[in-house]
Amino acid sequence: MHNKILIILEVPSIEKKYNVFLPINKKISNIVLLLTKAVSELTSGGYRIRGNECLYNKMNGNKYDHNVYLKDSDLTNGSTVILI
């Protein structure tokens, strides 16, 4: 699977962590949308989508630009991101 990476997604508002495969050829904005929908479905609506969610690198706290493609970011297999 050279077109996907495996990351750890932390969602502090519901105190959950997920292992997620992400497509490297998508923009961060599309990935955030996919992740928020997936988390909402997995929690049966327990996670409420606000529409202004962002991804942050857990190691350095940097916010990921929504206009950058995943393959052009510093995310690699095993990276941990926070969805806020």
Side-chain angles (χ1 to χ4, degrees), residues 1 4-7 21 75-79:
M1 279 202 269
K4 295 184 182 186
I5 62 168
L6 177 64
I7 59 104
F21 280 102
L75 289 171
T76 59
N77 280 316
S79 293

Side-chain angles (χ1 to χ4, degrees), residues 46-60:
Y47 176 78
R48 299 177 73 94
I49 300 172
R50 297 183 325 262
N52 62 347
E53 292 83 4
C54 294
L55 282 182
Y56 294 85
N57 183 306
K58 184 175 181 177
M59 294 301 289
N60 60 25

Side-chain angles (χ1 to χ4, degrees), residues 1-9 18-26 30-32 34-35 38 42 70 75-79 81:
M1 279 202 269
H2 297 288
N3 58 349
K4 295 184 182 186
I5 62 168
L6 177 64
I7 59 104
I8 300 165
L9 174 68
Y18 301 96
N19 292 324
V20 183
F21 280 102
L22 299 177
I24 62 170
N25 60 345
K26 299 284 185 188
N30 292 337
I31 289 171
V32 169
L34 291 171
L35 290 173
L42 286 170
L70 181 64
L75 289 171
T76 59
N77 280 316
S79 293
V81 296

